[in-house]
Amino acid sequence: MRLDFKKRYFYFRQLITANNSALEGFAEIERLLKDPAPFGMSVVRANVTAVLVSVYRMIRKMDRLAPGKYPQLQAAHHRISQKIDAGLTRAFGSRDKRLIIGMEDIDRTLSDCVGQKMANLGELKNRLALNVPDGFVMTAAAGNLFFRQNELETEINRRFKAQFSEDLGRMHALSKELQALICEAPLPATLAEAITAAVNKIQDNHHGDVCFAIRSSALGEDSLDASFAGQYKTLLNVKGADVLSAYKEVLAAKYSVTAVQYRLNRGFRDEDVDMCVGCIAMVDASSGGVAYTRHPFDIRDDAIYIQSTWGLPKAVVDGSVNCDLFVVARGENPKVLQKDVQKKEKKFICFADQGECRLDFVDDMQSQPSLTE
């Protein structure tokens, strides 16, 4: 009896949490409607999807609390979802059809074409005039062209229906199979030519051979109710000649086990996540890291938190080394409030040919701060 009560209380709390998330989603949609600032259709889809996912969780928890008592809710949710999807599909029909968009032309109004991550990077470059490397985005239209011309979506759906299993071993096998299918498919000639031209343009601007960082910027990443951080692929220090194959690798990462599981658990359909891919001139950094412009967990904390290490920021992102922490006061005359320098025993650097490699420190640099004040 006690155990049954604890379970029911647990489900009830989850029901309340899902309800609060749905209400927050509705409030965000109302805020967007009143805000004069522009936004892309991907913002609409992300918020609507977040609400639908929260409502679906509410239905599941109600079914746990009262099994079989509300069977009509599932059908109603499915019916409403289909109507919303039809409306969004019509709205998305007018989406920008460009295959490649340069960083100089990107801001947040193009988030439904280039993904939220690259749209934000465009904002930094073009609205705040911050120092952002040259680059371009292979858009959602480019990814859709690639999948459509190779009839990949039909084949992927067929294999999912025939082979999908919650068994982790089988899921890994299916994931490997799907990623190989994508990597082996040919790029449409128009897309390959557009990517090659964009790569050559950047190399000409730099008067020499430039390597690139190739990273995902999928629609739906960093939405109101979801984050796919670390679940797709980023390739560093890629030669210009290998950008085409690297692009397909990042597209294929949509079907990594972690990404597939995350979509299933959060209620995202496969077709809701279009893959955009950014191609940015590689910086062979002496130091790198992550800056949080707000405290991730404490909204009352107004400071900026910077975590850094020697070399590429990969080591900070994947947590493979202890990193330095700098807490900086916000304002016209910022100052360091706190400095915590760690012993950093290794760093990642750009390999001479391609890719990155790890170097172990043998001198006193490992104890030196990776950033000056």
Side-chain angles (χ1 to χ4, degrees), residues 158-165 170-171 173-174 177:
R158 185 188 70 79
R159 297 195 190 193
F160 254 115
K161 289 178 181 177
Q163 303 178 43
F164 179 76
S165 170
R170 290 187 177 183
M171 191 179 288
L174 177 60
E177 187 179 310

Side-chain angles (χ1 to χ4, degrees), residues 312-333:
L312 300 173
K314 172 185 173 72
V316 175
V317 176
D318 67 16
S320 60
V321 300
N322 294 323
C323 53
D324 299 335
L325 171 66
F326 301 87
V327 182
V328 182
R330 190 185 302 272
E332 291 186 12
N333 299 303

Side-chain angles (χ1 to χ4, degrees), residues 109-129:
T109 63
L110 292 178
S111 60
D112 55 322
C113 306
V114 302
Q116 195 69 38
K117 289 189 183 299
M118 294 305 297
N120 287 340
L121 202 56
E123 287 279 313
L124 296 180
K125 179 180 180 67
N126 299 313
R127 292 189 183 271
L128 297 183

Side-chain angles (χ1 to χ4, degrees), residues 29 31 41 89 111 118 161 182 200 253 275 293 295 368:
I29 292 170
R31 186 194 67 77
M41 275 302 299
T89 299
S111 60
M118 294 305 297
K161 289 178 181 177
I182 293 168
N200 291 340
M275 291 294 287
T293 55
H295 194 290
Q368 296 296 317

Side-chain angles (χ1 to χ4, degrees), residues 61-77:
K61 300 312 168 188
M62 289 179 70
D63 189 56
R64 291 292 187 95
L65 287 167
K69 194 170 183 180
Y70 304 105
Q72 67 275 23
L73 290 179
Q74 290 270 12
H77 184 272

Side-chain angles (χ1 to χ4, degrees), residues 194-264:
I195 295 172
T196 301
V199 167
N200 291 340
K201 180 182 177 181
I202 293 175
Q203 290 182 331
D204 290 344
N205 290 342
H206 285 256
H207 307 290
D209 197 22
V210 180
C211 287
F212 298 90
I214 314 295
R215 62 142 313 134
S216 71
S217 181
L219 302 190
E221 279 191 85
D222 292 348
S223 64
L224 177 69
D225 200 41
S227 171
F228 287 82
Q231 295 181 34
Y232 297 133
K233 200 161 194 172
T234 297
L235 299 173
L236 302 180
N237 203 33
V238 176
K239 281 190 170 182
D242 294 321
V243 168
L244 296 180
S245 59
Y247 170 57
K248 290 193 289 184
E249 277 193 59
V250 175
L251 289 180
K254 177 180 177 180
Y255 296 99
S256 69
V257 172
T258 53
V260 170
Q261 286 181 321
Y262 189 84
R263 286 199 296 274
L264 291 173

